[in-house]
Each structure stands twice: as C-alpha cells, then as structure tokens.
Amino acid sequence: NVAPVWASATGDGAVVAVVDTGGTAHPDLVAAQPLGWGIDMVSNTTTAADGDGRDTDPTDPGDDCGWGSTWHGTHVAGTIAAQHNEIGVAGIAPDASIMHVRVLGQCGGSFDDVIDGIRWAAGLPTTYWGATWASRGLPSNAHPADVINLSLGGGAPCFSTLQTTISEARAAGTLIVAAAGNSDLDASSFAPANCDGVITVASVGRVGGRAYYSNFGSTVEIAAPGGDTSRDSGVLSTIGLGRTTL
C-alpha cells in the first residue's frame, strides 16, 4: 500500500545511510547514490577483501565466505530507494539519497566497525575512542544522515559502547532503524535491535503475518514486508550476481 503515499512523500532531500556491505553501480540505484558520499569503515584488511583497510571507497567487492557473496548493501538500498525509471523495482523512497557506509566484509564484520560506521554516518566528529576522523586518514561526513539503516546484527546484549553511540547519533538528529533479525527468536537477544532509541523492524510476508524467519517480541516497534517464500512469492529488490566478483 505504499503507492498512494508517493503523491505526498518520496523521500526528496533525505539522506539514508546504509550501514552494510557497501554499494554497487546497480542500474536501478546509480541515480540514488551520489558519488563521494560514502565511506569504507572495515578495518581488518583480510575481512575488507579490497586490499586495504578503512578508506573513502564504499564499493562492495563481494563478501564470499565459501557460499557466495550476498551483495547485501545493494539489496537493502533497493528496498529504500530503487528509482522509478522503468528498470527493475521501485523503492519506498525513490527520491532519497543513499550513502553507503561499508562495515561488513568477507565473512561478516566487527561491532567496532559498526559503531564507528554509525558515528561517521551521523556526522559525529570522532571515533568511539575519541580520535578524529582526520587522524585516521578519513574525511568528516559532509552529508550527515537523516536515517541510518542497520540491516545487520548479532546475538548479544546492547553493550555500552554501542548504546552510547546510538544515543549520541540520536542526539545529533539521526533516526536509527534496525532489523529485528532473521533467526525466528526473540529480538531482545540481538543487537542493535535491542538497543534503546532504535526503531526495530520485523518482517511480514506479502499479505501480512510474521515471516517464518523473522525475530519477534516486545523489542519490535514495527513490521514491514520482507517476504515469506514459504507462503508467497517473496518481495523483490535489487541484487548483485556473482559468487566472488560482481
């Protein structure tokens, strides 16, 4: 039922940070991804899989861990802002600007990188440990995000460093949205879904009802279509193809 909303709101002027695996030059997304707006916050050079650590290029080089690359940042970005251009699918907010903040690489990532990715995306001036971005060879974010999307997580409590960063990002004016998780368990056991100040989103199928994989519970604020192929045809979004290279 999103189509009627486009008459009054399309996300025009909003900056959405996709804190994820990075972006690709997908034809349904290129116009939504301003050049030079993102960052690669993956610090481990092996996990980064692009030959270096943190830098200004958030391109997703693939995250294959033995079963193929997910190109997950591309998938998430399409749900948000795939263009109304007669190519592929339509995103919820097609006039929003996507800023990729790469924090996940080969076989996953670390919460340290996620925390600094949130901080950079929100326009906060330092890493969690107080170092300026310049001291780490990175620019400050000239386009702080209105919304930070965290379609990631792990089984853990919302530990203090993560909660502090989320609270500071909220104080800076950024909305934080996190996936409830896909483990068919109570979302209260998964961070950042269980952090205070986060809008936690569960998944339903095309016609409603919790998707079989979606986490659930009192931590969840809202549910949205994520697809449930056990009952329906799923929900389409932009994808990348290729096990190790795009």
Side-chain angles (χ1 to χ4, degrees), residues 13-23 32-34 37-39 58 73 76-77 80-81 96-103 114 116-123 141 143-152 169 174-178:
V15 178
V16 182
V18 177
V19 179
D20 212 286
T21 66
Q33 300 173 160
W37 278 30
I39 202 81
V76 171
I80 298 167
S97 295
I98 296 293
M99 179 171 63
H100 286 283
V101 178
R102 184 173 182 248
V103 298
V114 171
D116 276 355
I118 294 169
R119 298 185 67 81
W120 189 89
N141 183 3
H143 308 279
D146 299 295
V147 180
I148 293 175
N149 186 91
L150 300 165
S151 291
L152 50 78
T174 300
L175 188 70
I176 312 288
V177 181

Side-chain angles (χ1 to χ4, degrees), residues 149-153 177-182 187 190-194 198-202 215:
N149 186 91
L150 300 165
S151 291
L152 50 78
V177 181
N182 298 337
F190 292 81
N194 55 10
V198 171
I199 297 175
T200 300
V201 186
N215 288 353

Side-chain angles (χ1 to χ4, degrees), residues 3-245:
V5 178
W6 289 328
S8 57
T10 59
D12 187 24
V15 178
V16 182
V18 177
V19 179
D20 212 286
T21 66
T24 63
H26 192 289
D28 213 5
L29 286 168
V30 168
Q33 300 173 160
L35 291 174
W37 278 30
I39 202 81
D40 180 354
M41 203 60 75
V42 180
S43 55
N44 183 287
T45 55
T46 300
T47 302
D50 61 358
D52 56 25
R54 294 180 172 182
D55 58 42
T56 57
D57 182 3
T59 299
D60 185 350
D63 58 355
D64 176 51
C65 197
W67 49 82
S69 294
T70 65
W71 313 107
H72 193 257
T74 294
H75 176 84
V76 171
T79 301
I80 298 167
Q83 301 295 282
H84 290 194
N85 54 8
E86 299 184 0
I87 299 173
V89 297
I92 298 298
D95 291 328
S97 295
I98 296 293
M99 179 171 63
H100 286 283
V101 178
R102 184 173 182 248
V103 298
L104 302 177
Q106 192 172 43
C107 302
S110 74
F111 269 117
D112 286 346
D113 291 346
V114 171
I115 287 169
D116 276 355
I118 294 169
R119 298 185 67 81
W120 189 89
L124 298 176
T126 65
T127 71
Y128 181 77
W129 302 109
T132 64
W133 301 118
S135 71
R136 296 291 188 264
L138 301 173
S140 297
N141 183 3
H143 308 279
D146 299 295
V147 180
I148 293 175
N149 186 91
L150 300 165
S151 291
L152 50 78
C158 185
F159 47 93
S160 60
T161 52
L162 179 59
Q163 183 61 67
T164 296
T165 284
I166 287 171
S167 298
E168 290 184 8
R170 285 291 306 277
T174 300
L175 188 70
I176 312 288
V177 181
N182 298 337
S183 301
D184 188 24
L185 295 170
D186 195 307
S188 64
S189 298
F190 292 81
N194 55 10
C195 294
D196 293 336
V198 171
I199 297 175
T200 300
V201 186
S203 175
V204 297
R206 292 178 68 97
V207 296
R210 183 175 68 92
Y212 72 91
Y213 54 82
S214 179
N215 288 353
F216 51 83
S218 60
T219 302
V220 173
E221 276 79 31
I222 195 170
D228 186 347
T229 53
S230 71
R231 295 184 296 170
D232 56 50
S233 58
V235 176
L236 304 182
S237 186
T238 47
I239 60 171
L241 297 176
R243 176 171 177 170
T244 59
T245 57

